Amino acid sequence: MKSLIAAIAISVISIPCSANIFDSLMFQSREAAYSQALFEVDSISAFQVINGKHEVEVSILSEDGVQIDYGCHVHGNHTDCHEEGHKSNELESDLLLGERAALAKIETTLSRRGFSSDAIESYKVWSEKEDHDHDHEADHHHGENIWSKFSLNLKGKKMVRYVLCHEHGVGEGFVCHFSLTGKDEPSFGEE
């Protein structure tokens, strides 16, 4: 009986706590870097977030191909990034709405499998460059495709998961699907 109780206690202790991914340092760093980048480029086509050892690295890619790299960390109760800039009111672009939908999908999936969002080592988000309204009925709106690539570490097992998010109807919000590969994935220099 003692070994059964010990086994239950060990299994309960080893289940990771599910933290809200939108409160995570990775998401907060992306928000801070994105806000700063809006002062330096006209539009953003992709971004990548990597959970480094001492800080979160965020790379932003503009539609013109300009890459801006940030190193972000916590100061007190807010997140700061190395690039100098000003805070702005972040507009809700399809890229950011797609990111939120993909993060919610991956967080739900990780939680179902007994993992927290801490399993995410890095993620990248981009919009697909082509027109995607082909092969759909005339009354079926299929919005911009927003891709996400998640690099995960699940108890030492490294894996990559792609998530495709888009709107199926105007104002209906983003829906997301897992995919084996991503399309038009941008490169951020050192990859």
Side-chain angles (χ1 to χ4, degrees):
M1 183 67 165
K2 284 184 180 180
S3 63
L4 177 60
I5 293 172
I8 291 171
I10 290 171
S11 66
V12 169
I13 292 170
S14 67
I15 296 173
C17 299
S18 179
N20 183 343
I21 197 164
F22 300 106
D23 292 332
S24 72
L25 178 58
M26 289 180 73
F27 183 78
Q28 297 299 322
S29 295
R30 195 280 304 149
E31 284 206 323
Y34 193 98
S35 294
Q36 289 184 34
L38 287 175
F39 285 94
E40 302 196 36
V41 297
D42 291 329
S43 63
I44 295 170
S45 64
F47 52 85
Q48 171 177 269
V49 183
I50 299 172
N51 194 4
K53 291 181 181 178
H54 303 290
E55 64 186 7
V56 174
E57 300 164 11
V58 180
S59 295
I60 306 279
L61 193 62
S62 76
E63 298 239 347
D64 299 328
V66 175
Q67 180 175 327
I68 306 170
D69 298 313
Y70 296 92
C72 304
H73 48 273
V74 175
H75 281 289
N77 59 358
H78 64 280
T79 304
D80 285 330
C81 297
H82 290 284
E83 287 278 334
E84 290 188 33
H86 307 284
K87 289 201 169 200
S88 70
N89 292 329
E90 189 174 298
L91 298 175
E92 292 293 320
S93 70
D94 281 349
L95 193 65
L96 298 179
L97 292 171
E99 174 205 22
R100 286 193 175 95
L103 284 169
K105 177 143 185 84
I106 199 77
E107 181 179 36
T108 299
T109 300
L110 287 170
S111 178
R112 285 180 185 148
R113 296 185 67 197
F115 296 99
S116 74
S117 59
D118 291 339
I120 301 170
E121 291 186 329
S122 67
Y123 71 98
K124 180 191 298 188
V125 180
W126 69 95
S127 58
E128 196 171 325
K129 295 179 181 161
E130 299 175 14
D131 176 27
H132 304 286
D133 289 330
H134 59 284
D135 296 333
H136 294 283
E137 297 174 19
D139 63 342
H140 179 80
H141 170 75
H142 190 265
E144 181 177 13
N145 283 341
I146 305 298
W147 286 94
S148 298
K149 176 183 179 181
F150 293 93
S151 296
L152 306 171
N153 186 341
L154 305 178
K155 294 184 181 175
K157 182 180 179 186
K158 303 230 180 207
M159 59 180 57
V160 172
R161 293 292 182 259
Y162 289 91
V163 178
L164 169 61
C165 299
H166 54 255
E167 292 181 293
H168 279 283
V170 177
E172 291 182 20
F174 278 83
V175 294
C176 300
H177 318 275
F178 283 105
S179 179
L180 295 175
T181 60
K183 187 171 184 183
D184 296 330
E185 182 178 350
S187 176
F188 286 89
E190 299 174 5
E191 294 181 277

